[in-house]
Amino acid sequence: MRTLMLPMLLLLAACWVLPASGSIDGRKAAAGLLANASISGILSGIRDGRFTCEDLISEQLRRIDAYNASLAAFISVDKEAAMAAAKAKDSQGGLSGALHCVPVAVKDNADVKGVPTTSGAPALRTMTAASDSAVVARIRAAGGIVIGKANMAEMSDSGTSSVSTLGGVCANPWDKRRSCLGSSGGSGAAVAAGLAVLGVGTDTEGSVIGPCTASGLVCIRPTQNAQFEAMREGVYPAFQRQDLVGLMARSRGDYLTAHDAVYGSNFSQTISGVTQLNKMTIRFLDNFYESFPISTTESYSPDPEMVRLHNRAAERLAGLGATIQRYRTNGTDLGAKLGVIFQATSTKPRCSNSCMKKSLNDYLRRYSATGPFRNASDLQRVISGFPISYQEKLNFTISQPDDEVCGAAACDPYNIGRSNVTDIMRELLGDADVLAVPFTAKLPQLNSVQPGLADQISPALNPYTGWPSLAL
């Protein structure tokens, strides 16, 4: 399946606040860049001597101080570690990698050495990471600087908002009356608002694609395979049959640079010959939500604004040379076919809970020598510090056998449903290169959980198939 990326230009005002260190000219140059900074702009600015890494990180921290209170994009910001890393890079001279001095926001379910990995929950506020997660290790190896731990839906428990006890209500930088979706909303908000240049999120069922869609960013949920699954080491698990790490950027160029540096592939070269729009066919499924049944007599009706955006995307891509297939399927037929997603989703909670114990124990083993919790059972000591929904999940998880894995009998209905969804996707894709569907039927509201699976059913498609998906 071929994918397409379009650059997004973010225009936000720079924060002109006098910092405490570095040269005045360097700080001004860095401050002017950060509102819409690019990786190439950072590298060229440092290479040409217009500012230092210390200048850049100092101004980035000041920008966070100025704007984070109204956005709640970060749960924690490690200023001392970020400045120390910046000074070390300046003292070494030259560029340390493809992400040299690039400020990165990391979702607070991924380990950053020396910082608590809380997933937004009070129960985990003392769980300080003993080592970096795989994705953070790759970012540091490429020269990136972790600027802070991003807010998220507490325990990754929502796709429609990013609200947590420790981080508060994450607002959309473009319209603070609206959510930046979830569960990786803090990373998306930080990048969109110029509080970081790159974001790290995790995606189980649209948790990277959603925030990127809501915040006007470029991101991909990668193909589900061993190469990309390796990046979830050191990430608090949600459902490892579908968990993946995803990157967030403001532009196509930044995304490609970060993808190659973090995932260790030549993705930018691989797609260079398959993303020419005049050679692509994109199928726009126009009646996706209208055809999805609430009951035997009702179906979902998307907001007019979502329909307008869907149509505008088709028009813009056609104007850029793509062949557009406007596709409408028989409503009853589509509803019946997509109904199998309900089957797969309704069995997923029991499936994910039954095989959660092993993945959770494997994750906590990283902390066995220094952490407060050695295994899943230890979490019961602080169970009141989790959301009610996660308390129920944890109690069920702990009651399962220690060696229960995701191939358990409880997952059989889910596996059947997943196979059915893949068949549906192949049929809907037809002979096109890309299948385009609206991410959500409703405009996201701040601090709300929208009712009904079908309000956001499209995020479920690719995680069930294992195919990649792209936010435009």
Side-chain angles (χ1 to χ4, degrees):
M1 181 179 180
R2 294 186 287 178
T3 55
L4 171 69
M5 282 162 287
L6 294 180
M8 295 288 183
L9 183 62
L10 182 66
L11 299 176
L12 296 175
C15 177
W16 294 91
V17 181
L18 286 179
S21 58
S23 70
I24 294 177
D25 289 343
R27 294 194 302 266
K28 286 185 176 180
L33 173 72
L34 280 172
N36 192 34
S38 66
I39 294 174
S40 61
I42 290 173
L43 297 185
S44 64
I46 292 176
R47 187 188 300 115
D48 297 344
R50 285 182 281 124
F51 50 83
T52 65
C53 185
E54 182 180 354
D55 290 330
L56 183 84
I57 297 302
S58 177
E59 286 304 316
Q60 184 71 92
L61 292 170
R62 289 189 176 274
R63 187 170 175 85
I64 292 171
D65 284 343
Y67 294 115
N68 188 58
S70 64
L71 295 175
F74 286 97
I75 288 178
S76 64
V77 178
D78 193 344
K79 295 182 178 182
E80 291 185 7
M83 288 303 298
K87 292 176 181 178
K89 291 187 183 303
D90 288 336
S91 66
Q92 292 167 3
L95 300 181
S96 58
L99 303 180
H100 179 83
C101 200
V102 172
V104 183
V106 177
K107 185 177 180 180
D108 205 15
N109 63 346
D111 289 352
V112 173
K113 184 178 180 179
V115 180
T117 304
T118 72
S119 293
L124 301 180
R125 68 195 333 159
T126 62
M127 199 166 75
T128 302
S131 59
D132 284 334
S133 56
V135 63
V136 170
R138 290 282 184 90
I139 287 168
R140 292 198 205 271
I145 294 179
V146 176
I147 204 80
K149 302 299 293 294
N151 198 5
M152 57 182 285
E154 194 163 343
M155 302 311 300
S156 302
D157 229 15
S158 172
T160 55
S161 64
S162 290
V163 181
S164 69
T165 302
L166 296 184
V169 180
C170 183
N172 193 312
W174 296 100
D175 184 346
K176 293 178 184 177
R177 299 169 301 172
R178 303 202 178 277
S179 162
C180 41
L181 296 178
S183 60
S184 307
S187 297
V191 176
L195 308 188
V197 175
L198 289 176
V200 174
T202 59
D203 192 305
T204 304
E205 198 166 273
S207 291
V208 165
I209 295 298
C212 283
T213 301
S215 300
L217 304 178
V218 176
C219 69
I220 290 177
R221 175 189 161 89
T223 303
Q224 188 100 30
N225 61 24
Q227 175 190 1
F228 298 111
E229 288 174 347
M231 286 298 99
R232 68 191 181 197
E233 180 189 351
V235 173
Y236 196 99
F239 178 34
Q240 288 207 342
R241 290 294 295 274
Q242 293 180 186
D243 292 350
L244 287 176
V245 171
L247 306 174
M248 305 177 176
R250 283 193 290 268
S251 71
R252 176 183 186 271
D254 278 3
Y255 181 85
L256 292 175
T257 298
H259 187 107
D260 287 355
V262 172
Y263 295 124
S265 63
N266 293 318
F267 185 63
S268 54
Q269 295 180 20
T270 301
I271 69 163
S272 61
V274 299
T275 57
Q276 299 178 48
L277 281 170
N278 61 1
K279 296 181 180 179
M280 297 193 72
T281 299
I282 304 175
R283 173 172 285 192
F284 274 73
L285 187 54
D286 290 337
N287 61 334
F288 184 86
Y289 286 104
E290 297 95 324
S291 300
F292 202 94
I294 302 173
S295 65
T296 56
T297 59
E298 295 180 281
S299 62
Y300 280 85
S301 178
D303 287 338
E305 177 67 5
M306 303 308 295
V307 175
R308 187 185 71 82
L309 291 170
H310 184 69
N311 291 333
R312 188 178 72 174
E315 292 168 2
R316 290 185 65 188
L317 288 168
L320 292 168
T323 298
I324 304 299
Q325 293 180 354
R326 302 306 296 256
Y327 185 74
R328 297 185 68 86
T329 188
N330 177 281
T332 303
D333 179 58
L334 179 61
K337 292 179 182 299
L338 294 179
V340 301
I341 298 177
F342 274 124
Q343 176 192 4
T345 304
S346 64
T347 59
K348 192 188 79 171
R350 182 172 179 83
C351 175
S352 63
N353 293 352
S354 68
C355 65
M356 181 72 172
K357 192 169 186 178
K358 182 180 186 303
S359 56
L360 192 51
N361 284 340
D362 288 345
Y363 171 75
L364 292 173
R365 196 169 293 121
R366 294 167 53 88
Y367 294 85
S368 57
T370 59
F373 313 114
R374 296 167 300 166
N375 52 48
S377 298
D378 282 351
L379 293 173
Q380 281 189 316
R381 299 198 314 264
V382 292
I383 197 166
S384 63
F386 290 112
I388 295 296
S389 59
Y390 193 79
Q391 291 180 31
E392 296 170 354
K393 179 177 181 178
L394 183 60
N395 283 330
F396 183 90
T397 296
I398 292 169
S399 70
Q400 302 304 303
D402 286 341
D403 59 352
E404 197 80 26
V405 296
C406 286
C411 289
D412 288 346
Y414 165 79
N415 294 335
I416 294 171
R418 190 171 189 175
S419 177
N420 289 340
V421 173
T422 302
D423 291 342
I424 292 168
M425 286 287 285
R426 292 188 187 282
E427 183 176 341
L428 293 176
L429 181 65
D431 61 355
D433 301 303
V434 174
L435 178 66
V437 297
F439 181 84
T440 176
K442 308 295 182 183
L443 292 171
Q445 301 301 314
L446 189 64
N447 195 18
S448 68
V449 178
Q450 297 169 350
L453 173 66
D455 277 349
Q456 277 191 280
I457 193 63
S458 67
L461 296 175
N462 287 64
Y464 281 115
T465 62
W467 294 1
S469 52
L470 164 70
L472 281 179

